[in-house]
Amino acid sequence: MVLMCGAAAEAAGIDPLPLELRREVMPLPGMCSIVPAGRWDSGIVTGNGVMGASILGQPYEERVILNHERLFRPFLDERPLPPEISGALPEVRRMIREGQGGRALDHWRKVMAENGHPKIVNTPPYHPAYTMEIRRPDAGDVSGYLRTVDFLTGEAVVRFRNRKGAWINRTFVSRADNVIVQLFESTDGGTLTLDLRLVDQWMGLSDDMARISVEHAGEWITARCKYRKTARGYEGATRIACDGGRVEQVDGVTRCVDAQRVLLLTRITDLDDFDRSQIREMRAEIGALSADYGALLARHVELHR
């Protein structure tokens, strides 16, 4: 369990959940924080081994950074193939056992060069797909704040109160259905209005990356991004299930208005050929899933544990 200190909470203008109540909701094994994250590397993280989400936990301008395991910024025009050097391993091991580490390294480099790799190719840096911003109307000071992640279920939860009521945001990444599942609701029956938009991580500043193309249409948000140096790219699709309210497109965002709860189901996929989009297939598969958060979580937990 990890707790941020009271001084940090006070500096952030957040009144954390009292310690005795924290003990009631804190998952074990798990971790918690009593303040929102100010940076990506302080987010609480959940994933299924393919996709992941980092939750910053800001009450009014939440940012959830969405990831996929195969998204790497391309250095080269084409993805390099690894050298075939497994045959050198017995000899390298022998030299190391005999204390000839320098000779082992030289032999390994020689075999690499003979197989078309005269020098080491640096690993391209990993990058996130995009950030999902979830904004809600400011309703004053925040109290009862807590972020948690349950290691047994992979569920990340943000709790807080303001003058309009008590709120809870839940996120997990399903191992059963391969979707990022997010649920926003009130714990005391209030309705909520959320603005949803996707934010490009690279802002079009990299020579290797193009800006993400985002489309808001009905109860879907889709995104596509092509790498400039290769034929590769990636895309994502988010289904919005707005229970008891309505969905609108307003000024480049998707707005859920007066909903009892909002469920988001997102899938991201990498593309070896950007021209062969998977959006239609993703929408069909995500659209066929239940909009019941509890049922989706139960299917996932059975595998996660």
Side-chain angles (χ1 to χ4, degrees):
M1 179 173 67
V2 178
L3 294 174
M4 297 190 71
C5 67
E10 183 178 353
I14 298 290
D15 181 15
L17 191 69
L19 181 58
E20 60 273 15
L21 296 180
R22 252 179 268 161
R23 289 171 174 158
E24 293 180 9
V25 300
M26 175 64 201
L28 293 174
M31 64 160 286
C32 71
S33 172
I34 58 176
V35 292
R39 289 169 43 91
W40 67 269
D41 50 2
S42 295
I44 51 176
V45 178
T46 183
N48 69 351
V50 176
M51 295 184 299
S54 177
I55 298 98
L56 274 63
Q58 296 287 347
Y60 297 124
E61 295 187 10
E62 172 64 298
R63 287 174 291 162
V64 180
I65 303 168
L66 306 182
N67 304 284
H68 188 282
E69 64 171 348
R70 294 191 64 189
L71 300 189
F72 291 85
R73 176 180 170 184
F75 278 156
L76 307 174
D77 292 339
E78 296 295 337
R79 182 184 294 167
L81 296 175
E84 296 181 6
I85 58 173
S86 60
L89 187 57
E91 182 67 7
V92 168
R93 285 174 171 166
R94 182 191 66 78
M95 292 178 181
I96 292 174
R97 284 196 301 267
E98 294 175 358
Q100 301 177 33
R103 284 190 61 198
L105 180 60
D106 290 341
H107 180 67
W108 171 71
R109 286 175 170 167
K110 175 176 178 292
V111 175
M112 285 265 295
E114 291 172 350
N115 283 272
H117 289 72
K119 61 181 180 179
I120 294 174
V121 177
N122 290 327
T123 301
Y126 179 73
H127 70 83
Y130 43 75
T131 292
M132 178 176 287
E133 282 191 352
I134 304 103
R135 297 190 177 191
R136 67 178 80 202
D138 193 319
D141 293 340
V142 170
S143 62
Y145 183 90
L146 189 68
R147 291 188 293 153
T148 63
V149 61
D150 187 329
F151 294 162
L152 290 181
T153 66
E155 186 183 31
V157 179
V158 179
R159 298 173 172 86
F160 64 93
R161 296 187 63 92
N162 57 28
R163 70 170 183 264
K164 289 190 175 182
W167 311 96
I168 189 165
N169 310 339
R170 303 178 184 272
T171 304
F172 70 94
V173 187
S174 175
R175 294 183 183 274
D177 299 306
N178 195 33
V179 287
I180 301 165
V181 184
Q182 299 169 267
L183 178 69
F184 303 85
E185 63 181 341
S186 168
T187 58
D188 54 10
T191 61
L192 67 161
T193 295
L194 303 177
D195 282 357
L196 309 172
R197 76 183 187 110
L198 303 184
V199 180
D200 190 341
Q201 289 296 300
W202 295 89
M203 302 305 292
L205 299 179
S206 167
D207 290 338
D208 306 326
M209 306 285 288
R211 285 200 68 107
I212 294 175
S213 172
V214 178
E215 180 180 353
H216 298 260
E219 297 180 347
W220 290 90
I221 304 175
T222 56
R224 306 196 75 221
C225 181
K226 184 184 181 304
Y227 297 125
R228 288 184 173 143
K229 285 191 173 183
T230 76
R232 297 174 53 236
Y234 62 94
E235 56 193 6
T238 296
R239 172 187 166 196
I240 304 158
C242 185
D243 184 4
R246 64 185 186 276
V247 177
E248 304 172 346
Q249 275 69 49
V250 182
D251 297 329
V253 304
T254 293
R255 177 169 296 165
C256 303
V257 183
D258 296 333
Q260 295 295 323
R261 62 191 58 84
V262 176
L263 179 74
L264 307 179
L265 301 176
T266 300
R267 182 176 296 168
I268 296 164
T269 187
D270 72 309
L271 301 171
D272 285 329
D273 183 351
F274 183 75
D275 291 334
R276 300 181 66 179
S277 173
Q278 298 296 310
I279 292 289
R280 179 179 298 179
E281 290 82 354
M282 285 196 293
R283 286 184 51 160
E285 292 179 8
I286 298 171
L289 295 176
S290 166
D292 183 330
Y293 181 88
L296 292 168
L297 181 62
R299 285 164 50 80
H300 158 75
V301 168
E302 185 176 355
L303 296 176
H304 186 82
R305 286 188 171 181

